[in-house]
Amino acid sequence: MTVPVAASPEARYSPAGLLRESIRLMRANPRATILPMAVIQVPLTILIAVASFALYATVFSGDPYPTGGIYGVSEMGRPLFAMVLILAVNGLFAFVAQGATTIAIAGAAQGRPTNVSESLDPAFTRMGSLVGLAIMLIAGTVVLAFSIVGIALLPFFALRMGLAINALMLENLTPLQALRRSWRLMKGNMFRLLGALILTGVIVFIPLLIVQTLGLLAADSGRTTRMIADILLSIVDGVIAVPFVVLPIAVTTLFYLDLKAKNDVRNPS
């Protein structure tokens, strides 16, 4: 599904304005903007929390129970393999959820809110492209992480590629084309997006930190108590986190639409 973009002669949003507009858009269209993420993320969170509890209650009953459940594993062994597998599944569906939410935000921003199926169908249809884009981004990160210079350049490349998923979903591009599109659009605009994401991060971080802090209250309890506390907190965290996960997607999507409209006026096809 390709979402057409209305042209605008100049960029409209400052970092603070971009955040305000994202919040306004989500409040005006809660079902259209939040539901695509919720229908994927909430069941997935519950499934992973239950799987973590079940694994440590049966297969891994003889292994030390890490704080936070399966995601807290740090030593080699079967639990680590299970964690990597769960992370891979979670990452795959997280990309699909992000793709669906991107379509939903773009539709709402253009006055054409989509229903859940209209947002999810293109994301699942393009799952292969989303996986390809994820592999390219992960591979690039791994290559850069092998040197001090590369690590220093990671934030630069992350920002320049920060609109790739938007380009892939909204312009029906291939993963490589989407990366190139993001690179071109972000030229001269990195600090504006960085400012918006920092402001967004402050809003997102505080409530999620509170939920995570609650988990420390059961850290000194018995194994079963900690397992039950972790499964409950994971589910609560997953539900509460949905709008806070959608917010940065809304910020980047509106930023993408803004830059694309500006670019289309300067370079009409």
Side-chain angles (χ1 to χ4, degrees), residues 204-236:
V204 171
F205 178 74
I206 294 175
L208 297 185
L209 177 63
I210 293 173
V211 175
Q212 292 299 320
T213 302
L214 293 176
L216 298 178
L217 298 178
D220 296 327
S221 304
R223 179 186 177 96
T224 302
T225 301
R226 286 189 293 130
M227 288 171 62
I228 294 174
D230 280 342
I231 189 174
L232 293 176
L233 283 173
S234 294
I235 293 173
V236 171

PDB file of all heavy atoms in Angstrom, residues 204-236:
ATOM      1  N   VAL A 204       8.776   9.195  27.032  1.00  0.00           N
ATOM      2  CA  VAL A 204       8.632   7.738  27.007  1.00  0.00           C
ATOM      3  C   VAL A 204       9.354   7.085  28.179  1.00  0.00           C
ATOM      4  O   VAL A 204       8.865   6.107  28.760  1.00  0.00           O
ATOM      5  CB  VAL A 204       9.176   7.187  25.672  1.00  0.00           C
ATOM      6  CG1 VAL A 204       9.252   5.665  25.712  1.00  0.00           C
ATOM      7  CG2 VAL A 204       8.297   7.642  24.509  1.00  0.00           C
ATOM      8  N   PHE A 205      10.498   7.621  28.555  1.00  0.00           N
ATOM      9  CA  PHE A 205      11.370   6.968  29.533  1.00  0.00           C
ATOM     10  C   PHE A 205      10.773   6.940  30.926  1.00  0.00           C
ATOM     11  O   PHE A 205      10.848   5.922  31.621  1.00  0.00           O
ATOM     12  CB  PHE A 205      12.719   7.687  29.560  1.00  0.00           C
ATOM     13  CG  PHE A 205      13.690   7.141  30.568  1.00  0.00           C
ATOM     14  CD1 PHE A 205      14.329   5.928  30.355  1.00  0.00           C
ATOM     15  CD2 PHE A 205      13.953   7.838  31.739  1.00  0.00           C
ATOM     16  CE1 PHE A 205      15.220   5.414  31.284  1.00  0.00           C
ATOM     17  CE2 PHE A 205      14.836   7.332  32.672  1.00  0.00           C
ATOM     18  CZ  PHE A 205      15.477   6.123  32.441  1.00  0.00           C
ATOM     19  N   ILE A 206      10.166   8.025  31.355  1.00  0.00           N
ATOM     20  CA  ILE A 206       9.738   8.153  32.748  1.00  0.00           C
ATOM     21  C   ILE A 206       8.700   7.105  33.149  1.00  0.00           C
ATOM     22  O   ILE A 206       8.901   6.385  34.143  1.00  0.00           O
ATOM     23  CB  ILE A 206       9.215   9.581  33.029  1.00  0.00           C
ATOM     24  CG1 ILE A 206      10.379  10.580  32.891  1.00  0.00           C
ATOM     25  CG2 ILE A 206       8.587   9.666  34.414  1.00  0.00           C
ATOM     26  CD1 ILE A 206       9.963  12.030  33.027  1.00  0.00           C
ATOM     27  N   PRO A 207       7.578   6.954  32.439  1.00  0.00           N
ATOM     28  CA  PRO A 207       6.595   5.940  32.885  1.00  0.00           C
ATOM     29  C   PRO A 207       7.119   4.516  32.792  1.00  0.00           C
ATOM     30  O   PRO A 207       6.795   3.676  33.635  1.00  0.00           O
ATOM     31  CB  PRO A 207       5.403   6.162  31.938  1.00  0.00           C
ATOM     32  CG  PRO A 207       5.968   6.871  30.761  1.00  0.00           C
ATOM     33  CD  PRO A 207       7.074   7.708  31.288  1.00  0.00           C
ATOM     34  N   LEU A 208       7.925   4.232  31.756  1.00  0.00           N
ATOM     35  CA  LEU A 208       8.463   2.885  31.629  1.00  0.00           C
ATOM     36  C   LEU A 208       9.477   2.595  32.738  1.00  0.00           C
ATOM     37  O   LEU A 208       9.585   1.466  33.218  1.00  0.00           O
ATOM     38  CB  LEU A 208       9.115   2.707  30.256  1.00  0.00           C
ATOM     39  CG  LEU A 208       8.174   2.846  29.053  1.00  0.00           C
ATOM     40  CD1 LEU A 208       8.914   2.540  27.763  1.00  0.00           C
ATOM     41  CD2 LEU A 208       6.969   1.932  29.201  1.00  0.00           C
ATOM     42  N   LEU A 209      10.215   3.621  33.156  1.00  0.00           N
ATOM     43  CA  LEU A 209      11.164   3.446  34.262  1.00  0.00           C
ATOM     44  C   LEU A 209      10.435   3.119  35.555  1.00  0.00           C
ATOM     45  O   LEU A 209      10.891   2.286  36.345  1.00  0.00           O
ATOM     46  CB  LEU A 209      12.002   4.712  34.434  1.00  0.00           C
ATOM     47  CG  LEU A 209      12.999   4.701  35.608  1.00  0.00           C
ATOM     48  CD1 LEU A 209      14.039   3.612  35.408  1.00  0.00           C
ATOM     49  CD2 LEU A 209      13.666   6.062  35.751  1.00  0.00           C
ATOM     50  N   ILE A 210       9.287   3.754  35.765  1.00  0.00           N
ATOM     51  CA  ILE A 210       8.506   3.506  36.977  1.00  0.00           C
ATOM     52  C   ILE A 210       8.065   2.042  37.032  1.00  0.00           C
ATOM     53  O   ILE A 210       8.164   1.373  38.071  1.00  0.00           O
ATOM     54  CB  ILE A 210       7.286   4.439  37.033  1.00  0.00           C
ATOM     55  CG1 ILE A 210       7.746   5.889  37.219  1.00  0.00           C
ATOM     56  CG2 ILE A 210       6.342   4.031  38.166  1.00  0.00           C
ATOM     57  CD1 ILE A 210       6.630   6.902  37.129  1.00  0.00           C
ATOM     58  N   VAL A 211       7.581   1.524  35.898  1.00  0.00           N
ATOM     59  CA  VAL A 211       7.129   0.134  35.856  1.00  0.00           C
ATOM     60  C   VAL A 211       8.303  -0.809  36.105  1.00  0.00           C
ATOM     61  O   VAL A 211       8.187  -1.794  36.847  1.00  0.00           O
ATOM     62  CB  VAL A 211       6.467  -0.186  34.498  1.00  0.00           C
ATOM     63  CG1 VAL A 211       6.119  -1.667  34.409  1.00  0.00           C
ATOM     64  CG2 VAL A 211       5.215   0.654  34.311  1.00  0.00           C
ATOM     65  N   GLN A 212       9.451  -0.519  35.487  1.00  0.00           N
ATOM     66  CA  GLN A 212      10.618  -1.377  35.671  1.00  0.00           C
ATOM     67  C   GLN A 212      11.117  -1.340  37.117  1.00  0.00           C
ATOM     68  O   GLN A 212      11.570  -2.354  37.660  1.00  0.00           O
ATOM     69  CB  GLN A 212      11.744  -0.935  34.724  1.00  0.00           C
ATOM     70  CG  GLN A 212      11.452  -1.171  33.258  1.00  0.00           C
ATOM     71  CD  GLN A 212      11.232  -2.640  32.940  1.00  0.00           C
ATOM     72  OE1 GLN A 212      11.916  -3.505  33.467  1.00  0.00           O
ATOM     73  NE2 GLN A 212      10.265  -2.912  32.074  1.00  0.00           N
ATOM     74  N   THR A 213      11.019  -0.181  37.751  1.00  0.00           N
ATOM     75  CA  THR A 213      11.459  -0.052  39.137  1.00  0.00           C
ATOM     76  C   THR A 213      10.621  -0.914  40.072  1.00  0.00           C
ATOM     77  O   THR A 213      11.117  -1.453  41.066  1.00  0.00           O
ATOM     78  CB  THR A 213      11.392   1.418  39.585  1.00  0.00           C
ATOM     79  OG1 THR A 213      12.217   2.208  38.711  1.00  0.00           O
ATOM     80  CG2 THR A 213      11.896   1.575  41.014  1.00  0.00           C
ATOM     81  N   LEU A 214       9.328  -1.058  39.730  1.00  0.00           N
ATOM     82  CA  LEU A 214       8.458  -1.899  40.554  1.00  0.00           C
ATOM     83  C   LEU A 214       8.956  -3.343  40.599  1.00  0.00           C
ATOM     84  O   LEU A 214       8.754  -4.045  41.590  1.00  0.00           O
ATOM     85  CB  LEU A 214       7.026  -1.855  40.011  1.00  0.00           C
ATOM     86  CG  LEU A 214       6.295  -0.515  40.137  1.00  0.00           C
ATOM     87  CD1 LEU A 214       4.931  -0.604  39.464  1.00  0.00           C
ATOM     88  CD2 LEU A 214       6.150  -0.115  41.599  1.00  0.00           C
ATOM     89  N   GLY A 215       9.598  -3.771  39.512  1.00  0.00           N
ATOM     90  CA  GLY A 215      10.111  -5.134  39.468  1.00  0.00           C
ATOM     91  C   GLY A 215      11.209  -5.378  40.483  1.00  0.00           C
ATOM     92  O   GLY A 215      11.425  -6.521  40.912  1.00  0.00           O
ATOM     93  N   LEU A 216      11.911  -4.322  40.893  1.00  0.00           N
ATOM     94  CA  LEU A 216      12.984  -4.481  41.868  1.00  0.00           C
ATOM     95  C   LEU A 216      12.446  -4.814  43.256  1.00  0.00           C
ATOM     96  O   LEU A 216      13.169  -5.347  44.100  1.00  0.00           O
ATOM     97  CB  LEU A 216      13.813  -3.188  41.931  1.00  0.00           C
ATOM     98  CG  LEU A 216      14.522  -2.787  40.624  1.00  0.00           C
ATOM     99  CD1 LEU A 216      15.252  -1.469  40.814  1.00  0.00           C
ATOM    100  CD2 LEU A 216      15.492  -3.873  40.186  1.00  0.00           C
ATOM    101  N   LEU A 217      11.166  -4.503  43.481  1.00  0.00           N
ATOM    102  CA  LEU A 217      10.581  -4.769  44.792  1.00  0.00           C
ATOM    103  C   LEU A 217      10.523  -6.264  45.101  1.00  0.00           C
ATOM    104  O   LEU A 217      10.533  -6.673  46.261  1.00  0.00           O
ATOM    105  CB  LEU A 217       9.171  -4.169  44.870  1.00  0.00           C
ATOM    106  CG  LEU A 217       9.086  -2.650  44.707  1.00  0.00           C
ATOM    107  CD1 LEU A 217       7.624  -2.195  44.748  1.00  0.00           C
ATOM    108  CD2 LEU A 217       9.893  -1.951  45.793  1.00  0.00           C
ATOM    109  N   ALA A 218      10.459  -7.081  44.046  1.00  0.00           N
ATOM    110  CA  ALA A 218      10.392  -8.531  44.244  1.00  0.00           C
ATOM    111  C   ALA A 218      11.740  -9.207  44.022  1.00  0.00           C
ATOM    112  O   ALA A 218      11.821 -10.435  44.015  1.00  0.00           O
ATOM    113  CB  ALA A 218       9.355  -9.133  43.289  1.00  0.00           C
ATOM    114  N   ALA A 219      12.799  -8.412  43.875  1.00  0.00           N
ATOM    115  CA  ALA A 219      14.110  -8.977  43.534  1.00  0.00           C
ATOM    116  C   ALA A 219      14.653  -9.909  44.609  1.00  0.00           C
ATOM    117  O   ALA A 219      15.364 -10.869  44.315  1.00  0.00           O
ATOM    118  CB  ALA A 219      15.108  -7.850  43.274  1.00  0.00           C
ATOM    119  N   ASP A 220      14.319  -9.639  45.884  1.00  0.00           N
ATOM    120  CA  ASP A 220      14.847 -10.457  46.982  1.00  0.00           C
ATOM    121  C   ASP A 220      13.867 -11.526  47.444  1.00  0.00           C
ATOM    122  O   ASP A 220      14.082 -12.167  48.477  1.00  0.00           O
ATOM    123  CB  ASP A 220      15.214  -9.551  48.166  1.00  0.00           C
ATOM    124  CG  ASP A 220      16.346  -8.594  47.816  1.00  0.00           C
ATOM    125  OD1 ASP A 220      17.217  -8.986  47.015  1.00  0.00           O
ATOM    126  OD2 ASP A 220      16.343  -7.464  48.334  1.00  0.00           O
ATOM    127  N   SER A 221      12.798 -11.716  46.707  1.00  0.00           N
ATOM    128  CA  SER A 221      11.794 -12.717  47.080  1.00  0.00           C
ATOM    129  C   SER A 221      12.214 -14.093  46.590  1.00  0.00           C
ATOM    130  O   SER A 221      13.237 -14.256  45.924  1.00  0.00           O
ATOM    131  CB  SER A 221      10.437 -12.342  46.495  1.00  0.00           C
ATOM    132  OG  SER A 221      10.047 -11.039  46.896  1.00  0.00           O
ATOM    133  N   GLY A 222      11.410 -15.087  46.879  1.00  0.00           N
ATOM    134  CA  GLY A 222      11.698 -16.433  46.419  1.00  0.00           C
ATOM    135  C   GLY A 222      11.525 -16.565  44.919  1.00  0.00           C
ATOM    136  O   GLY A 222      10.943 -15.698  44.264  1.00  0.00           O
ATOM    137  N   ARG A 223      12.009 -17.685  44.401  1.00  0.00           N
ATOM    138  CA  ARG A 223      11.988 -17.914  42.952  1.00  0.00           C
ATOM    139  C   ARG A 223      10.575 -17.827  42.382  1.00  0.00           C
ATOM    140  O   ARG A 223      10.342 -17.110  41.400  1.00  0.00           O
ATOM    141  CB  ARG A 223      12.597 -19.293  42.650  1.00  0.00           C
ATOM    142  CG  ARG A 223      12.607 -19.674  41.173  1.00  0.00           C
ATOM    143  CD  ARG A 223      13.080 -21.111  41.002  1.00  0.00           C
ATOM    144  NE  ARG A 223      13.029 -21.543  39.614  1.00  0.00           N
ATOM    145  CZ  ARG A 223      14.043 -21.516  38.769  1.00  0.00           C
ATOM    146  NH1 ARG A 223      15.208 -21.055  39.163  1.00  0.00           N
ATOM    147  NH2 ARG A 223      13.907 -21.945  37.520  1.00  0.00           N
ATOM    148  N   THR A 224       9.633 -18.526  42.976  1.00  0.00           N
ATOM    149  CA  THR A 224       8.263 -18.535  42.452  1.00  0.00           C
ATOM    150  C   THR A 224       7.643 -17.148  42.505  1.00  0.00           C
ATOM    151  O   THR A 224       6.979 -16.714  41.562  1.00  0.00           O
ATOM    152  CB  THR A 224       7.389 -19.529  43.230  1.00  0.00           C
ATOM    153  OG1 THR A 224       7.972 -20.831  43.145  1.00  0.00           O
ATOM    154  CG2 THR A 224       5.982 -19.562  42.666  1.00  0.00           C
ATOM    155  N   THR A 225       7.866 -16.444  43.615  1.00  0.00           N
ATOM    156  CA  THR A 225       7.318 -15.085  43.756  1.00  0.00           C
ATOM    157  C   THR A 225       7.885 -14.160  42.688  1.00  0.00           C
ATOM    158  O   THR A 225       7.151 -13.371  42.083  1.00  0.00           O
ATOM    159  CB  THR A 225       7.639 -14.514  45.149  1.00  0.00           C
ATOM    160  OG1 THR A 225       7.080 -15.369  46.151  1.00  0.00           O
ATOM    161  CG2 THR A 225       7.076 -13.110  45.295  1.00  0.00           C
ATOM    162  N   ARG A 226       9.190 -14.273  42.462  1.00  0.00           N
ATOM    163  CA  ARG A 226       9.813 -13.425  41.432  1.00  0.00           C
ATOM    164  C   ARG A 226       9.303 -13.775  40.047  1.00  0.00           C
ATOM    165  O   ARG A 226       9.104 -12.897  39.200  1.00  0.00           O
ATOM    166  CB  ARG A 226      11.337 -13.571  41.488  1.00  0.00           C
ATOM    167  CG  ARG A 226      11.969 -12.865  42.687  1.00  0.00           C
ATOM    168  CD  ARG A 226      13.473 -12.833  42.590  1.00  0.00           C
ATOM    169  NE  ARG A 226      14.056 -14.170  42.708  1.00  0.00           N
ATOM    170  CZ  ARG A 226      14.945 -14.673  41.862  1.00  0.00           C
ATOM    171  NH1 ARG A 226      15.352 -13.998  40.817  1.00  0.00           N
ATOM    172  NH2 ARG A 226      15.433 -15.891  42.072  1.00  0.00           N
ATOM    173  N   MET A 227       9.075 -15.046  39.781  1.00  0.00           N
ATOM    174  CA  MET A 227       8.562 -15.455  38.477  1.00  0.00           C
ATOM    175  C   MET A 227       7.162 -14.903  38.247  1.00  0.00           C
ATOM    176  O   MET A 227       6.851 -14.391  37.159  1.00  0.00           O
ATOM    177  CB  MET A 227       8.560 -16.980  38.378  1.00  0.00           C
ATOM    178  CG  MET A 227       9.947 -17.592  38.253  1.00  0.00           C
ATOM    179  SD  MET A 227       9.948 -19.406  38.403  1.00  0.00           S
ATOM    180  CE  MET A 227       8.931 -19.880  37.010  1.00  0.00           C
ATOM    181  N   ILE A 228       6.324 -14.986  39.266  1.00  0.00           N
ATOM    182  CA  ILE A 228       4.959 -14.462  39.139  1.00  0.00           C
ATOM    183  C   ILE A 228       4.987 -12.948  38.994  1.00  0.00           C
ATOM    184  O   ILE A 228       4.260 -12.372  38.165  1.00  0.00           O
ATOM    185  CB  ILE A 228       4.115 -14.866  40.370  1.00  0.00           C
ATOM    186  CG1 ILE A 228       3.929 -16.382  40.396  1.00  0.00           C
ATOM    187  CG2 ILE A 228       2.758 -14.155  40.347  1.00  0.00           C
ATOM    188  CD1 ILE A 228       3.243 -16.889  41.651  1.00  0.00           C
ATOM    189  N   ALA A 229       5.846 -12.281  39.790  1.00  0.00           N
ATOM    190  CA  ALA A 229       5.952 -10.824  39.698  1.00  0.00           C
ATOM    191  C   ALA A 229       6.424 -10.398  38.319  1.00  0.00           C
ATOM    192  O   ALA A 229       5.916  -9.431  37.737  1.00  0.00           O
ATOM    193  CB  ALA A 229       6.908 -10.306  40.779  1.00  0.00           C
ATOM    194  N   ASP A 230       7.396 -11.120  37.773  1.00  0.00           N
ATOM    195  CA  ASP A 230       7.929 -10.770  36.456  1.00  0.00           C
ATOM    196  C   ASP A 230       6.899 -10.945  35.354  1.00  0.00           C
ATOM    197  O   ASP A 230       6.805 -10.117  34.444  1.00  0.00           O
ATOM    198  CB  ASP A 230       9.176 -11.614  36.143  1.00  0.00           C
ATOM    199  CG  ASP A 230      10.421 -11.087  36.824  1.00  0.00           C
ATOM    200  OD1 ASP A 230      10.403  -9.923  37.249  1.00  0.00           O
ATOM    201  OD2 ASP A 230      11.408 -11.840  36.929  1.00  0.00           O
ATOM    202  N   ILE A 231       6.123 -12.012  35.408  1.00  0.00           N
ATOM    203  CA  ILE A 231       5.130 -12.238  34.368  1.00  0.00           C
ATOM    204  C   ILE A 231       4.043 -11.160  34.420  1.00  0.00           C
ATOM    205  O   ILE A 231       3.608 -10.648  33.375  1.00  0.00           O
ATOM    206  CB  ILE A 231       4.512 -13.654  34.467  1.00  0.00           C
ATOM    207  CG1 ILE A 231       3.634 -13.934  33.239  1.00  0.00           C
ATOM    208  CG2 ILE A 231       3.682 -13.829  35.696  1.00  0.00           C
ATOM    209  CD1 ILE A 231       3.103 -15.356  33.191  1.00  0.00           C
ATOM    210  N   LEU A 232       3.637 -10.771  35.620  1.00  0.00           N
ATOM    211  CA  LEU A 232       2.621  -9.730  35.758  1.00  0.00           C
ATOM    212  C   LEU A 232       3.150  -8.371  35.307  1.00  0.00           C
ATOM    213  O   LEU A 232       2.479  -7.638  34.573  1.00  0.00           O
ATOM    214  CB  LEU A 232       2.141  -9.652  37.212  1.00  0.00           C
ATOM    215  CG  LEU A 232       1.365 -10.872  37.718  1.00  0.00           C
ATOM    216  CD1 LEU A 232       1.022 -10.720  39.194  1.00  0.00           C
ATOM    217  CD2 LEU A 232       0.095 -11.084  36.901  1.00  0.00           C
ATOM    218  N   LEU A 233       4.380  -8.049  35.734  1.00  0.00           N
ATOM    219  CA  LEU A 233       4.966  -6.770  35.350  1.00  0.00           C
ATOM    220  C   LEU A 233       5.243  -6.704  33.851  1.00  0.00           C
ATOM    221  O   LEU A 233       5.092  -5.647  33.228  1.00  0.00           O
ATOM    222  CB  LEU A 233       6.254  -6.522  36.132  1.00  0.00           C
ATOM    223  CG  LEU A 233       6.063  -6.083  37.588  1.00  0.00           C
ATOM    224  CD1 LEU A 233       7.400  -6.044  38.314  1.00  0.00           C
ATOM    225  CD2 LEU A 233       5.405  -4.704  37.646  1.00  0.00           C
ATOM    226  N   SER A 234       5.633  -7.830  33.266  1.00  0.00           N
ATOM    227  CA  SER A 234       5.883  -7.857  31.818  1.00  0.00           C
ATOM    228  C   SER A 234       4.602  -7.556  31.048  1.00  0.00           C
ATOM    229  O   SER A 234       4.618  -6.801  30.064  1.00  0.00           O
ATOM    230  CB  SER A 234       6.426  -9.229  31.405  1.00  0.00           C
ATOM    231  OG  SER A 234       7.692  -9.461  31.961  1.00  0.00           O
ATOM    232  N   ILE A 235       3.498  -8.143  31.495  1.00  0.00           N
ATOM    233  CA  ILE A 235       2.224  -7.914  30.819  1.00  0.00           C
ATOM    234  C   ILE A 235       1.770  -6.470  31.010  1.00  0.00           C
ATOM    235  O   ILE A 235       1.359  -5.798  30.051  1.00  0.00           O
ATOM    236  CB  ILE A 235       1.162  -8.897  31.342  1.00  0.00           C
ATOM    237  CG1 ILE A 235       1.531 -10.328  30.925  1.00  0.00           C
ATOM    238  CG2 ILE A 235      -0.221  -8.529  30.805  1.00  0.00           C
ATOM    239  CD1 ILE A 235       0.646 -11.392  31.536  1.00  0.00           C
ATOM    240  N   VAL A 236       1.872  -5.969  32.250  1.00  0.00           N
ATOM    241  CA  VAL A 236       1.488  -4.578  32.520  1.00  0.00           C
ATOM    242  C   VAL A 236       2.362  -3.624  31.713  1.00  0.00           C
ATOM    243  O   VAL A 236       1.872  -2.668  31.091  1.00  0.00           O
ATOM    244  CB  VAL A 236       1.608  -4.269  34.028  1.00  0.00           C
ATOM    245  CG1 VAL A 236       1.433  -2.771  34.284  1.00  0.00           C
ATOM    246  CG2 VAL A 236       0.566  -5.047  34.807  1.00  0.00           C
TER     247      VAL A 236
END
